[in-house]
Amino acid sequence: MAMRKRSETARRTGGRAQDALRGDLYAPQCPSRGVLEHVTSRWGVLALVALLEGGTHRFSALRRKVAGVSEKMLSQTLQALEADGFVQREVFPEVPPRVEYTLTPLGHEVAGRVKGLAEWIEANLGRILTAREQRPVRAPRREAS
Amino acid sequence: MAMRKRSETARRTGGRAQDALRGDLYAPQCPSRGVLEHVTSRWGVLALVALLEGGTHRFSALRRKVAGVSEKMLSQTLQALEADGFVQREVFPEVPPRVEYTLTPLGHEVAGRVKGLAEWIEANLGRILTAREQRPVRAPRREAS
DNA sequence: GGTGGGTACTTACCAACAGAAAGCAAGGCC
DNA sequence: GGCCTTGCTTTCTGTTGGTAAGTACCCACC
């Protein structure tokens, strides 16, 4: 992304070696923002949770599970997650082609956290919807006259 | 969003009362997807984490902290989070105008989870970047000849 | 007294992105 | 031969996100 060399980010964030490298979300050019966007993207979240819950999936199975995603977006999402080392892609040179996606150990860790967030929302939807109704629209410009 | 009546979702998900309502992320029309998108949106994540770490903020302070966000997007993001009951907005009719944003108890809970995810990424950036380098581009079309 | 400044937005506009649909490749089946 | 399958990629189009400018309000300054 915006990063040219590892050492540059390392300098900015104070780290030195790769395994000690730490990101800073508040810095606009930090690659951690890109990673965060990949895992929290509209379809990234759902793909990660689906892979965590169901284990290895092939492309079409994942597409069915994550209802509503287009092939383009699923492909794009998985490519991003693969590039970040969260999912492993395996191609079987058969006809018709078969491709399987699996979480890496790294992916397993993020997916767990993403799933925690997703489940919290599912479980608390009632509370959220209640809050929504109490805050119907928004003051129509300015509350003080 | 896509939901017309609460009872519709309740029927689909098997719940009955609002406080027992549970979402289903895999259902395309479930409002939980909308909520998830708000909290995992590019700026939603950063706003929640900033409010969790720093407590009450006024608009311009938040904008400084979440470097790179435009006024429009921050305003829009905060409106969505307010509508979902995650942040509370308080206007002081002074001159110059002052508006303060604070997490609600509900917002505190989500923000905690979001922050956990964000911090995991910050802490593991090194591992992710290492994985990225080992997976340089992507097979240029088809791996089997 | 009129000009400039500060805050929190909203609006207009444009570029980038997401999504629907069609194309592609390679072999099997009828 | 024509059509089916899968996992993409490409094309086209509508929605979204970002930038910049405007708005409203009152005060301080010259």
Side-chain angles (χ1 to χ4, degrees):
Chain A
M1 235 131 244
M3 195 179 77
R4 279 164 265 276
K5 268 183 174 302
R6 239 164 311 127
S7 57
E8 184 185 321
T9 302
R11 201 184 326 117
R12 190 163 37 70
T13 55
R16 238 181 72 258
Q18 253 186 28
D19 49 344
L21 181 59
R22 195 159 206 291
D24 176 16
L25 261 325
Y26 291 130
Q29 78 286 31
C30 180
S32 60
R33 278 206 181 171
V35 175
L36 184 66
E37 276 164 39
H38 293 161
V39 320
T40 63
S41 69
R42 177 166 185 191
W43 305 116
V45 176
L46 297 174
L48 285 173
V49 175
L51 285 170
L52 183 65
E53 289 178 346
T56 299
H57 279 70
R58 52 189 304 188
F59 186 83
S60 48
L62 213 45
R63 186 156 131 75
R64 269 189 300 277
K65 195 159 184 176
V66 181
V69 68
S70 70
E71 294 187 343
K72 184 184 99 172
M73 291 314 298
L74 182 57
S75 168
Q76 213 170 86
T77 301
L78 289 170
Q79 276 178 33
L81 294 177
E82 187 197 1
D84 288 341
F86 296 139
V87 314
Q88 202 218 322
R89 179 177 183 268
E90 197 173 358
V91 181
F92 298 85
E94 307 170 354
V95 168
R98 183 160 61 100
V99 183
E100 291 189 345
Y101 294 89
T102 314
L103 285 182
T104 62
L106 200 61
H108 225 266
E109 290 183 44
V110 238
R113 286 164 194 273
V114 171
K115 191 187 171 197
L117 177 61
E119 286 191 336
W120 183 92
I121 290 177
E122 285 186 330
N124 291 273
L125 224 207
R127 286 211 276 160
I128 296 166
L129 258 25
T130 303
R132 264 196 200 172
E133 285 167 13
Q134 288 171 356
R135 221 174 319 288
V137 205
R138 180 74 170 269
R141 270 312 166 107
R142 201 151 276 273
E143 1 228 298
S145 64
Chain B
M1 239 130 242
M3 195 178 77
R4 278 164 265 276
K5 270 183 173 301
R6 237 165 311 125
S7 57
E8 184 184 321
T9 303
R11 203 185 323 120
R12 190 162 39 65
T13 55
R16 240 181 70 260
Q18 253 186 32
D19 48 343
L21 181 62
R22 193 161 207 292
D24 175 16
L25 262 326
Y26 292 131
Q29 79 285 33
C30 181
S32 60
R33 278 205 182 172
V35 175
L36 183 66
E37 276 163 40
H38 294 161
V39 318
T40 63
S41 68
R42 177 165 185 193
W43 305 116
V45 176
L46 298 174
L48 285 173
V49 174
L51 286 171
L52 183 65
E53 289 177 345
T56 299
H57 279 72
R58 53 190 303 188
F59 187 83
S60 51
L62 213 44
R63 186 157 131 76
R64 268 189 301 277
K65 195 159 185 178
V66 181
V69 68
S70 69
E71 295 188 344
K72 182 184 100 173
M73 290 314 298
L74 183 57
S75 169
Q76 212 170 84
T77 301
L78 290 170
Q79 277 178 32
L81 293 177
E82 186 197 4
D84 288 341
F86 295 139
V87 314
Q88 203 219 321
R89 178 176 183 270
E90 198 175 358
V91 182
F92 298 85
E94 308 172 353
V95 168
R98 183 161 61 101
V99 182
E100 290 190 344
Y101 294 89
T102 314
L103 286 181
T104 63
L106 200 62
H108 225 265
E109 290 183 44
V110 241
R113 288 166 192 271
V114 171
K115 190 187 172 198
L117 177 62
E119 285 190 336
W120 183 93
I121 290 176
E122 284 186 331
N124 290 273
L125 225 207
R127 286 212 277 160
I128 296 167
L129 259 23
T130 304
R132 264 196 198 172
E133 283 167 14
Q134 288 169 358
R135 220 174 322 287
V137 203
R138 179 74 169 271
R141 265 314 161 107
R142 203 151 274 274
E143 359 230 300
S145 63

